[in-house]
């Protein structure tokens, strides 16, 4: 499970801004720098664990489908003005901007922590034995759902220990899974939602085509002719 230098950079950026969103308001009536920094460090460690669990979920299923994935901060470079017209810009860290906006606008009372995404590097030579050389929509959806799912499983395991000291880590994993299931931009939820739509659409059209073909064959099937019995 190798991690590139670029991935490490994106990991740090993700963990830092998720921590900032959660630690923005430390719930103290007065701002005390030492207390705020101590709270920031604790949340930083919890977020690191949560992001790593999320990444491992994606990585395990990517290994199962013989593709390589890389962690990335969620960005966008296309803005659609109309259905036929769009503007392309340099990649904008949309997740970080949304996270900072929600944190500052609510003074830390609310947070947005869906900052990360992943990109796929297909390798046709590694997918020998699969029906399709390219990653299918269904396989992409499975890889995408593995991240939030492992966060939920991890939270359940922690809950089963019965240790109240782990509640913060439990809730963080639950919220992290929930936010990344939002069908927006390049988040896991978007990959799952639209990949599922494409898969269901292809299945539906296939069923409709088969139904049409069956009905057509039924209509053109020659009817049995009546043959009177010969009188002997």
């Amino acid at each position: 499970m190798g991690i590139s230098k670029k991935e490490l950079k994106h990991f740090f950026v993700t963990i830092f801004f998720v921590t900032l969103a959660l630690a923005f308001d430390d719930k103290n009536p007065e701002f005390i720098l030492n207390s705020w920094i101590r709270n920031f460090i604790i949340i930083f460690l919890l977020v690191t664990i949560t992001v790593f669990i999320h990444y491992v979920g994606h990585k395990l299923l990517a290994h199962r489908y013989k593709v390589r994935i890389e962690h990335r901060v969620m960005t966008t470079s296309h803005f659609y003005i109309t259905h036929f017209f769009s503007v392309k810009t340099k990649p904008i860290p949309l997740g970080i901007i949304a996270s900072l906006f929600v944190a500052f606008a609510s003074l830390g009372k609310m947070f947005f922590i869906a900052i990360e995404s992943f990109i796929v590097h297909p390798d046709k030579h590694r997918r020998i034995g699969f029906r399709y050389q390219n990653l299918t929509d269904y396989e992409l959806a499975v890889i995408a759902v593995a991240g939030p799912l492992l966060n939920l499983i991890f939270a359940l395991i922690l809950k089963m220990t019965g240790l109240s000291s782990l509640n913060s880590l439990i809730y963080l994993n639950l919220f992290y899974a929930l936010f990344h299931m939002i069908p927006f931009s390049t988040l896991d939820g978007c990959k799952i939602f639209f990949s599922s739509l494409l898969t269901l659409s292809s299945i539906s059209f296939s069923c409709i085509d088969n139904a049409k073909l069956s009905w057509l064959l039924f209509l053109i099937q020659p009817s049995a002719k009546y043959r009177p019995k010969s009188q002997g």
Side-chain angles (χ1 to χ4, degrees):
M1 191 181 291
I3 299 177
S4 65
K5 292 182 179 179
K6 191 170 186 178
E7 274 189 293
L8 286 175
K9 175 185 174 183
H10 281 260
F11 268 121
F12 178 79
V13 172
T14 299
I15 294 168
F16 177 82
F17 281 100
V18 171
T19 303
L20 182 62
L22 296 173
F24 192 89
D25 180 14
D26 61 358
K27 303 298 185 295
N28 285 330
E30 297 181 0
F31 177 75
I32 303 173
L33 182 60
N34 291 337
S35 176
W36 190 88
I37 292 176
R38 183 169 59 252
N39 183 62
F40 184 93
I41 293 173
I42 293 172
I43 295 178
F44 186 90
L45 294 175
L46 298 179
V47 170
T48 301
I49 296 171
T50 303
V51 172
F52 178 74
I53 292 295
H54 190 91
Y55 174 75
V56 168
H58 291 317
K59 202 73 171 179
L60 289 175
L61 267 296
H63 180 74
R64 162 68 179 81
Y65 290 117
K66 304 299 181 184
V67 293
R68 186 170 63 89
I69 65 168
E70 284 191 2
H71 174 91
R72 288 291 184 271
V73 172
M74 181 178 66
T75 60
T76 185
S77 57
H78 282 85
F79 293 91
Y80 292 91
I81 310 301
T82 65
H83 184 69
F84 301 100
F85 178 71
S86 65
V87 177
K88 187 174 182 179
T89 63
K90 292 183 178 180
I92 297 174
L94 190 60
I96 293 175
I97 293 173
S99 181
L100 291 175
F101 175 80
V102 172
F104 279 98
S106 66
L107 298 179
K109 304 300 181 185
M110 300 174 65
F111 54 84
F112 181 82
I113 56 175
I115 292 178
E116 71 163 280
S117 180
F118 67 87
I119 58 174
V120 179
H121 297 287
D123 188 350
K124 296 180 180 180
H125 299 290
R126 293 183 61 195
R127 285 178 59 83
I128 296 175
F130 285 82
R131 184 176 181 181
Y132 301 102
Q133 287 188 326
N134 294 321
L135 193 70
T136 65
D137 296 320
Y138 171 79
E139 291 169 340
L140 177 62
V142 172
I143 295 173
V145 79
L149 182 60
L150 194 57
N151 282 124
L152 295 176
I153 294 173
F154 183 63
L156 179 61
I157 293 173
L158 295 179
K159 184 66 176 177
M160 291 172 64
T161 63
L163 299 175
S164 58
S165 58
L166 297 176
N167 284 344
S168 296
L169 188 56
I170 292 172
Y171 288 124
L172 178 55
N173 275 269
L174 292 176
F175 278 113
Y176 204 75
L178 179 64
F179 271 93
H180 281 85
M181 288 299 292
I182 299 173
F184 175 71
S185 188
T186 57
L187 292 177
D188 298 333
C190 190
K191 293 181 176 72
I192 297 165
F193 180 74
F194 287 104
S195 294
S196 300
L197 280 183
L198 290 172
T199 302
L200 289 174
S201 297
S202 62
I203 293 174
S204 299
F205 283 120
S206 177
C207 292
I208 292 172
D209 289 340
N210 288 335
K212 288 180 178 178
L213 180 60
S214 299
W215 180 247
L216 182 62
L217 291 175
F218 175 78
L219 291 178
I220 65 176
Q221 182 181 5
S223 58
K225 295 183 180 180
Y226 172 72
R227 295 180 179 178
K229 294 182 179 180
S230 58
Q231 296 178 356

